[in-house]
Amino acid sequence: MAFTALLVAAGATALASNSKWYSLAPGTKFLQADLGSARNVSSFVLKHAGLGGETTGWNTGAFTIQTSLDGTNWTTAASVTDARSSRTYHPVSQRSARYVRVNVTTPANDGNGAARIYEFEVY
C-alpha cells in the first residue's frame, strides 16, 4: 500500500518556504512520524531545501532513516552521508513499521546549522 506524502508542517498543502520542518536544536535533530498503525514500508523520499525554493547548499548533508513498531525500539533502514540532492529516494527491504524517523546529523552542505525538510514520503 502506498501512502501519500506526509507534509511535515501542520496545515501545509504544497512545497513552499513556509511549509517545512525546521530545527536549530544542538546535536542530532529528528523528525518523527506516526503512520497510525503498523504498515509495510519499502521506500522513503525526502524533499530538501532546494525543492522548497531555498539554496541547495542548505540541502541535508547526512541523515539516517529509522523504523519502529513501538516508538521505542528503532532499526536503521537507510544511512546517508554526503548528500547533495534536493530530492532523495531511499528504497529499503520491506518491513513493518508504525513509526518512521529521520535523524539529521549534518543539517546542511554549506555548514549552516539548521535542518530543513520540506516533505517526507513513506511508501
Side-chain angles (χ1 to χ4, degrees):
M1 174 179 198
F3 296 90
T4 56
L6 165 66
L7 294 170
V8 298
T13 57
L15 287 176
S17 62
N18 63 349
S19 62
K20 65 182 170 193
W21 170 80
Y22 179 92
S23 177
L24 273 169
T28 300
K29 301 143 183 40
F30 73 92
L31 165 66
Q32 182 173 315
D34 181 348
L35 303 177
S37 64
R39 307 285 183 155
N40 288 325
V41 299
S42 59
S43 65
F44 306 93
V45 174
L46 287 167
K47 295 182 180 176
H48 306 275
L51 283 181
E54 296 185 292
T55 177
T56 56
W58 290 350
N59 286 345
T60 313
F63 56 94
T64 60
I65 301 172
Q66 296 181 306
T67 61
S68 174
L69 287 169
D70 60 10
T72 300
N73 299 296
W74 296 90
T75 301
T76 299
S79 184
V80 179
T81 58
D82 298 320
R84 301 272 181 217
S85 297
S86 295
R87 179 189 182 273
T88 56
Y89 171 66
H90 311 281
V92 299
S93 298
Q94 186 170 312
R95 65 196 57 223
S96 183
R98 174 171 175 167
Y99 303 92
V100 292
R101 179 166 69 186
V102 177
N103 298 297
V104 177
T105 53
T106 304
N109 288 301
D110 67 357
N112 187 289
R116 300 162 176 85
I117 303 289
Y118 278 81
E119 200 167 292
F120 181 27
E121 302 173 8
V122 179
Y123 297 96

